[in-house]
Short mmCIF file of all heavy atoms in Angstrom, two decimals:
data_model
loop_
_atom_site.label_atom_id
_atom_site.label_comp_id
_atom_site.label_asym_id
_atom_site.label_seq_id
_atom_site.Cartn_x
_atom_site.Cartn_y
_atom_site.Cartn_z
N ARG V 7 -3.37 6.21 3.87
CA ARG V 7 -4.18 7.30 4.44
C ARG V 7 -5.66 6.95 4.35
O ARG V 7 -6.41 7.09 5.33
CB ARG V 7 -3.88 8.60 3.69
CG ARG V 7 -4.80 9.76 3.99
CD ARG V 7 -4.37 11.00 3.21
NE ARG V 7 -3.06 11.42 3.66
CZ ARG V 7 -2.84 12.37 4.59
NH1 ARG V 7 -3.86 13.01 5.11
NH2 ARG V 7 -1.63 12.68 4.95
N VAL V 68 1.44 10.33 7.09
CA VAL V 68 1.55 8.95 6.61
C VAL V 68 2.84 8.79 5.82
O VAL V 68 3.14 9.61 4.93
CB VAL V 68 0.34 8.58 5.71
CG1 VAL V 68 0.44 7.13 5.24
CG2 VAL V 68 -0.96 8.82 6.44
N GLU V 69 3.60 7.79 6.14
CA GLU V 69 4.85 7.50 5.40
C GLU V 69 5.13 6.01 5.48
O GLU V 69 5.18 5.45 6.57
CB GLU V 69 6.02 8.30 6.00
CG GLU V 69 7.32 8.12 5.23
CD GLU V 69 8.52 8.71 5.96
OE1 GLU V 69 8.49 8.81 7.21
OE2 GLU V 69 9.50 9.05 5.28
N ARG V 72 3.76 3.53 8.13
CA ARG V 72 3.50 4.23 9.38
C ARG V 72 2.41 5.27 9.22
O ARG V 72 2.37 5.99 8.22
CB ARG V 72 4.76 4.98 9.86
CG ARG V 72 5.97 4.12 10.00
CD ARG V 72 5.96 3.36 11.32
NE ARG V 72 7.11 2.46 11.39
CZ ARG V 72 7.50 1.85 12.49
NH1 ARG V 72 6.85 2.04 13.62
NH2 ARG V 72 8.53 1.03 12.49
N HIS V 102 -2.30 11.57 20.70
CA HIS V 102 -1.28 11.49 19.65
C HIS V 102 -0.89 10.02 19.52
O HIS V 102 -0.36 9.44 20.46
CB HIS V 102 -0.05 12.32 20.02
CG HIS V 102 -0.25 13.81 19.93
ND1 HIS V 102 0.79 14.70 20.06
CD2 HIS V 102 -1.36 14.56 19.73
CE1 HIS V 102 0.34 15.93 19.94
NE2 HIS V 102 -0.97 15.89 19.74
N ASP V 122 -4.05 14.86 31.45
CA ASP V 122 -4.12 16.05 32.32
C ASP V 122 -5.30 16.94 31.92
O ASP V 122 -5.99 17.48 32.79
CB ASP V 122 -2.82 16.84 32.26
CG ASP V 122 -1.72 16.22 33.10
OD1 ASP V 122 -1.96 15.15 33.72
OD2 ASP V 122 -0.60 16.76 33.13
N ARG V 125 -8.39 15.29 33.25
CA ARG V 125 -8.51 15.49 34.70
C ARG V 125 -8.97 16.91 35.03
O ARG V 125 -9.81 17.12 35.89
CB ARG V 125 -7.15 15.25 35.39
CG ARG V 125 -6.85 13.81 35.62
CD ARG V 125 -5.57 13.65 36.44
NE ARG V 125 -4.99 12.34 36.13
CZ ARG V 125 -3.98 12.13 35.33
NH1 ARG V 125 -3.34 13.13 34.77
NH2 ARG V 125 -3.57 10.91 35.08
N ARG K 7 13.22 14.89 6.67
CA ARG K 7 13.67 13.96 7.71
C ARG K 7 15.09 14.34 8.15
O ARG K 7 15.35 14.41 9.36
CB ARG K 7 13.66 12.55 7.14
CG ARG K 7 14.35 11.49 7.99
CD ARG K 7 14.24 10.13 7.34
NE ARG K 7 12.85 9.73 7.26
CZ ARG K 7 12.25 8.95 8.19
NH1 ARG K 7 12.95 8.46 9.19
NH2 ARG K 7 10.98 8.67 8.08
N LEU K 65 10.31 6.80 16.88
CA LEU K 65 9.46 6.65 15.68
C LEU K 65 9.47 8.00 14.99
O LEU K 65 9.36 9.04 15.64
CB LEU K 65 8.00 6.32 16.07
CG LEU K 65 7.74 5.00 16.78
CD1 LEU K 65 6.31 4.97 17.34
CD2 LEU K 65 7.96 3.84 15.84
N VAL K 68 7.36 11.23 8.28
CA VAL K 68 7.51 12.51 7.58
C VAL K 68 6.67 12.48 6.31
O VAL K 68 6.73 11.51 5.54
CB VAL K 68 8.99 12.76 7.22
CG1 VAL K 68 9.16 14.09 6.52
CG2 VAL K 68 9.88 12.68 8.47
N GLU K 69 5.87 13.50 6.12
CA GLU K 69 5.07 13.59 4.89
C GLU K 69 4.83 15.06 4.59
O GLU K 69 4.34 15.81 5.45
CB GLU K 69 3.72 12.89 5.07
CG GLU K 69 2.86 12.87 3.82
CD GLU K 69 1.44 12.35 4.08
OE1 GLU K 69 0.94 12.49 5.22
OE2 GLU K 69 0.84 11.87 3.13
N HIS K 102 5.14 12.52 22.23
CA HIS K 102 4.63 12.37 20.85
C HIS K 102 4.38 13.77 20.33
O HIS K 102 3.53 14.49 20.86
CB HIS K 102 3.33 11.58 20.83
CG HIS K 102 3.48 10.11 21.10
ND1 HIS K 102 2.43 9.22 20.93
CD2 HIS K 102 4.54 9.37 21.48
CE1 HIS K 102 2.87 7.98 21.22
NE2 HIS K 102 4.14 8.05 21.57
N ASP K 122 2.18 11.21 33.15
CA ASP K 122 1.84 10.19 34.17
C ASP K 122 3.05 9.30 34.43
O ASP K 122 3.31 8.93 35.58
CB ASP K 122 0.66 9.33 33.70
CG ASP K 122 -0.67 10.07 33.89
OD1 ASP K 122 -0.65 11.22 34.36
OD2 ASP K 122 -1.71 9.48 33.56
N ARG K 125 5.38 11.26 36.61
CA ARG K 125 4.88 11.30 37.99
C ARG K 125 5.12 10.00 38.72
O ARG K 125 5.51 9.96 39.89
CB ARG K 125 3.38 11.60 38.00
CG ARG K 125 3.07 13.07 37.85
CD ARG K 125 1.57 13.34 38.03
NE ARG K 125 1.24 14.54 37.29
CZ ARG K 125 0.65 14.56 36.10
NH1 ARG K 125 0.25 13.44 35.53
NH2 ARG K 125 0.43 15.70 35.50
#
Side-chain angles (χ1 to χ4, degrees):
Chain V
R7 170 179 296 264
V68 181
E69 183 190 26
R72 305 279 176 168
H102 288 189
D122 282 1
R125 279 187 206 102
Chain K
R7 169 178 296 265
L65 297 169
V68 181
E69 184 189 27
H102 287 189
D122 282 1
R125 279 187 207 102

